[in-house]
Amino acid sequence: MPAASPQTVKLKSTLRLLIPRLRNAQKKDTALSIAARREMADLLSQNREDSARIRVENIIHTDITVELMEVLELYAELLLARAGLLDLRDKNVKEGLGTATDDTGLEEAAAAVIYAAPRLPRDVRELVLVRSMLIERFGKEFAMKAGEGVGVPEKVVNKLKIETPKPELVQGYLEVIAETYGVDWPRHKLQLQEAQDEIDEEDQDDGDDGGAKEQPILAHGGGAPATPSKAQNLNLDLLPPRGQPSAEGSKSPVSVAPPGARSDNPSPRVKLPGGGAVRPQGQQRVGGGVGSESKGAIGGTVPTVDDLAKRFQALKR
């Protein structure tokens, strides 16, 4: 790698002085901004709102200046890291091969420094020296275009605009300052905020108590929607009579008494699902002979016509 030119060596040494100078300037301006914020808080607490609105503009300008110096510090670091490419650029310019530094960011950084140095509301001596060296290296034509804003990053141009802060920005600064230092501004803002927080906490507690929720009212005017009763949900099949096993083989807990024998229905039967039938308890088929008749009488059943005919024949004998 060829040795750096004396111009590059001088530029690098000046950049090494410029970077810490910019950092120190940022720290000083930040400290001044913090002290000014305390003063703004005192003015708001004393109800001197008009004075606070005017003085807070100085804080806004100071913050913008700090941000601009931070951007210039980054460009200075870029120039320091890529200063060796400047010798290559000078060589290409002499040989008529072009600058060949468009993609390295050197021209953008140089344009930002050349444009911002005379406009920066902060006296940084090393920044003026670096600007003079860059004009010498890049040429007067490049410096004139950069002074008019050509090739200068938009973020640098916007921070160097001379204009009054917008009312929304001023209001936002004052509200943040009041909140940071615990000042009730605008008046009764803290009380309203605390009341709103309490209401939100109560609503949250009511929602988490786990109580029963109120049933919604239907559009037709009724109360809670009707729910089917337990009887409707039960699927009651026909159960077998008392003493008869169920389909699964177990005895049913619910029994149905069969109808008793009557004159118009001497042999009642209970029909079961599937075609079966159950004979009433105590009813027995009456066979021939006196013994069977006595059993029928003991059972308490009504004799049939055949039983009477057989009994009549037995008496005749």
Side-chain angles (χ1 to χ4, degrees):
M1 183 176 180
S5 63
Q7 294 178 340
T8 302
V9 173
K10 186 177 180 180
L11 176 63
K12 293 175 67 174
S13 61
T14 308
L15 287 172
R16 291 191 180 97
L17 296 175
L18 173 62
I19 293 173
R21 178 63 66 89
L22 289 174
R23 292 176 181 172
N24 292 332
Q26 294 175 44
K27 294 179 180 179
K28 291 180 180 179
D29 289 351
T30 302
L32 294 175
S33 179
I34 294 175
R37 280 175 165 81
R38 294 194 183 97
E39 295 179 1
M40 295 304 103
D42 294 337
L43 292 176
L44 293 176
S45 63
Q46 299 171 8
N47 201 19
R48 298 172 60 184
E49 180 178 341
D50 295 337
S51 179
R53 288 185 179 276
I54 296 176
R55 294 187 181 184
V56 78
E57 294 184 6
N58 292 327
I59 299 177
I60 297 175
H61 289 305
T62 302
D63 291 347
I64 294 175
T65 302
V66 171
E67 294 174 1
L68 177 60
M69 287 190 294
E70 183 179 358
V71 174
L72 294 178
E73 178 188 348
L74 295 177
Y75 281 128
E77 291 179 350
L78 186 146
L79 289 171
L80 178 61
R82 302 177 183 179
L85 296 176
L86 292 176
D87 293 337
L88 178 61
R89 178 185 180 278
D90 296 340
K91 180 180 178 181
N92 293 333
V93 170
K94 290 181 180 180
E95 296 177 357
L97 300 177
T99 59
T101 58
D102 295 340
D103 56 346
T104 60
L106 290 174
E107 293 191 359
E108 178 182 343
V113 173
I114 293 173
Y115 180 84
R119 295 175 175 85
L120 183 67
R122 191 73 162 78
D123 185 13
V124 182
R125 178 175 176 273
E126 289 77 8
L127 184 62
V128 178
L129 294 177
V130 170
R131 178 179 181 272
S132 301
M133 295 177 186
L134 293 176
I135 292 175
E136 183 180 355
R137 299 296 294 268
F138 285 87
K140 293 183 178 180
E141 184 179 357
F142 177 85
M144 291 178 62
K145 292 181 179 179
E148 296 174 357
V150 179
V152 181
E154 185 177 358
K155 56 185 176 182
V156 175
V157 175
N158 292 334
K159 294 183 184 303
L160 287 173
K161 287 182 178 179
I162 301 176
E163 58 183 7
T164 58
K166 296 181 180 180
E168 297 81 4
L169 184 60
V170 174
Q171 180 72 18
Y173 259 77
L174 292 177
E175 290 182 359
V176 171
I177 292 173
E179 183 178 358
T180 303
Y181 293 94
V183 179
D184 185 13
W185 187 90
R187 293 297 178 183
H188 310 298
K189 179 181 179 180
L190 294 179
Q191 290 83 346
L192 293 176
Q193 185 64 33
E194 292 176 358
Q196 183 64 34
D197 294 342
E198 292 179 358
I199 293 175
D200 295 341
E201 292 177 358
E202 292 178 358
D203 293 342
Q204 186 177 3
D205 295 340
D206 294 341
D208 298 339
D209 59 356
K213 295 184 177 180
E214 184 178 356
Q215 295 291 342
I217 299 177
L218 302 180
H220 54 72
T227 56
S229 61
K230 294 182 179 180
Q232 293 175 348
N233 292 331
L234 294 177
N235 186 13
L236 298 179
D237 297 329
L238 184 62
L239 298 176
R242 183 188 302 272
Q244 298 295 328
S246 62
E248 291 79 3
S250 59
K251 192 172 182 181
S252 173
V254 181
S255 59
V256 180
R262 297 183 303 172
S263 58
D264 57 347
N265 186 13
S267 181
R269 295 175 181 271
V270 177
K271 295 182 179 181
L272 298 176
V278 179
R279 185 179 296 108
Q281 295 182 0
Q283 181 179 354
Q284 299 179 1
R285 185 179 299 276
V286 180
V290 179
S292 61
E293 296 169 2
S294 61
K295 289 181 181 180
I298 294 173
T301 61
V302 178
T304 62
V305 177
D306 294 337
D307 295 338
L308 294 176
K310 290 178 181 180
R311 186 183 301 177
F312 181 71
Q313 291 296 333
L315 292 175
K316 291 174 74 174
R317 294 176 185 175

